Amino acid sequence: MHDLEYQLEDYGEDAVLLHSEGFISEPRKADPASKWSTWAKLGLSVIIVASACALYVISASNSGQHNAYGLRQPSQYPGLELSEELGNKDRKAGPMTYFPNKIVRVNKALPDQVYTSGSHVILSDDDSMFFQWHLRKSKFTSCYIDSVVAPPEDGLAANKTYTSSGSLTHIQIWNVTTPTESMKSLSWNSRPQRIALMGTVAFLPQKEKIEQLELEDGWESLLPTRFSCGEKMTVSIEVACEGCRLEFEQLFSFPPLAFDLTEIG
């Protein structure tokens, strides 16, 4: 009995002694403040979800109204827009070598045959080539026309070779009239007329050219194909070869294999 009273005192009025099941607690009444806190949290969650749904609907409807027209498009060739600026800087830095704007063949044996401008160069007793350059204004007032031929090993590695027969040391460069229309196509009958022989050039790699022609330092300034330039102008020439044959592709790539126009001073 003493033990029982002790247990009852420990648990106080909230405990009830059952015959065989020990002690259990009475259910406690809910706290009104706790109930309001739960409802507040639930309401806040509903507001957050509703706001998120509304924001999604608004953004989706706006995205359907966008038009890509007028937006800046990514460039497929990044840096290309700087090429002209870099070219201008190069012209200011030193003399330029110009690749022809037009390269057209004519054939004396087929005087009515019309050939269009292209990369294929053929010189023979019957075939002449006409070259045309459009020069810009430049601080360099002297130019010359010459062949540019890479060393054989470099040309072979780049698949840029030529076939020839006869001597290639006296290829003629003629000053000719400039057509009033663009020189996109020519025939022997419609070709520009010769004005004067400017001189001859050798179609050889530079090392062989210097050795065979016994050229000295500064030989470029003594070339007979030198002429005055520096102003915006169009230069047209005829390249001819007597007693020889030369055939190659003149492409705008490295190493060079070409007849080119170069500024000198």
Side-chain angles (χ1 to χ4, degrees):
M1 190 68 183
H2 174 75
D3 292 337
L4 181 60
E5 290 176 352
Y6 178 76
Q7 292 175 6
L8 290 173
E9 289 176 355
D10 283 348
Y11 286 94
E13 296 178 355
D14 292 334
V16 177
L17 180 62
L18 300 180
H19 292 291
S20 60
E21 296 179 1
F23 301 104
I24 61 171
S25 298
E26 289 185 0
R28 297 185 178 182
K29 295 181 179 180
D31 186 1
S34 175
K35 184 185 295 184
W36 281 108
S37 175
T38 302
W39 279 106
K41 291 179 180 178
L42 180 60
L44 183 60
S45 299
V46 171
I47 292 173
I48 292 173
V49 172
S51 300
C53 291
L55 183 61
Y56 173 78
V57 170
I58 293 172
S59 63
S61 62
N62 288 339
S63 64
Q65 299 173 1
H66 287 312
N67 189 346
Y69 181 77
L71 297 178
R72 182 178 180 182
Q73 300 296 319
S75 173
Q76 297 181 359
Y77 308 100
L80 186 62
E81 67 277 5
L82 301 177
S83 60
E84 184 174 353
E85 180 182 347
L86 295 174
N88 290 333
K89 290 181 179 179
D90 288 341
R91 283 195 293 274
K92 293 177 181 178
M96 291 278 294
T97 293
Y98 291 87
F99 189 83
N101 297 92
K102 297 290 185 296
I103 304 173
V104 191
R105 172 192 178 190
V106 297
N107 185 280
K108 182 169 58 176
L110 301 169
D112 295 321
Q113 177 67 48
V114 176
Y115 297 92
T116 57
S117 180
S119 62
H120 197 57
V121 175
I122 298 179
L123 295 176
S124 70
D125 287 334
D126 289 332
D127 296 285
S128 290
M129 298 299 303
F130 285 82
F131 294 78
Q132 188 174 80
W133 292 266
H134 300 302
L135 305 185
R136 299 177 181 180
K137 188 175 179 62
S138 171
K139 67 179 181 180
F140 299 99
T141 59
S142 186
C143 300
Y144 68 90
I145 296 167
D146 195 11
S147 67
V148 186
V149 184
E153 60 274 13
D154 294 343
L156 207 58
N159 196 28
K160 296 185 73 172
T161 58
Y162 61 92
T163 59
S164 67
S165 61
S167 174
L168 300 179
T169 57
H170 292 88
I171 295 178
Q172 300 172 357
I173 307 295
W174 288 85
N175 182 22
V176 299
T177 57
T178 297
T180 55
E181 298 181 359
S182 177
M183 203 171 71
K184 292 182 179 179
S185 60
L186 293 174
S187 69
W188 181 265
N189 289 334
S190 66
R191 74 191 189 282
Q193 298 303 302
R194 292 178 176 179
I195 297 175
L197 179 65
M198 298 176 67
T200 62
V201 298
F203 194 85
L204 297 169
Q206 183 165 323
K207 184 178 179 181
E208 294 181 38
K209 187 184 299 184
I210 292 174
E211 291 176 352
Q212 289 192 30
L213 304 181
E214 298 180 352
L215 301 176
E216 299 179 356
D217 291 343
W219 58 270
E220 296 92 342
S221 62
L222 302 176
L223 280 173
T225 56
R226 181 173 175 175
F227 62 97
S228 297
C229 58
E231 298 297 326
K232 184 177 179 180
M233 59 191 300
T234 298
V235 177
S236 303
I237 64 164
E238 178 187 351
V239 179
C241 184
E242 293 183 356
C244 65
R245 179 179 175 83
L246 173 65
E247 187 171 358
F248 67 95
E249 295 291 331
Q250 179 157 337
L251 303 172
F252 186 60
S253 61
F254 189 84
L257 185 63
F259 289 100
D260 280 335
L261 186 155
T262 303
E263 296 174 334
I264 191 173

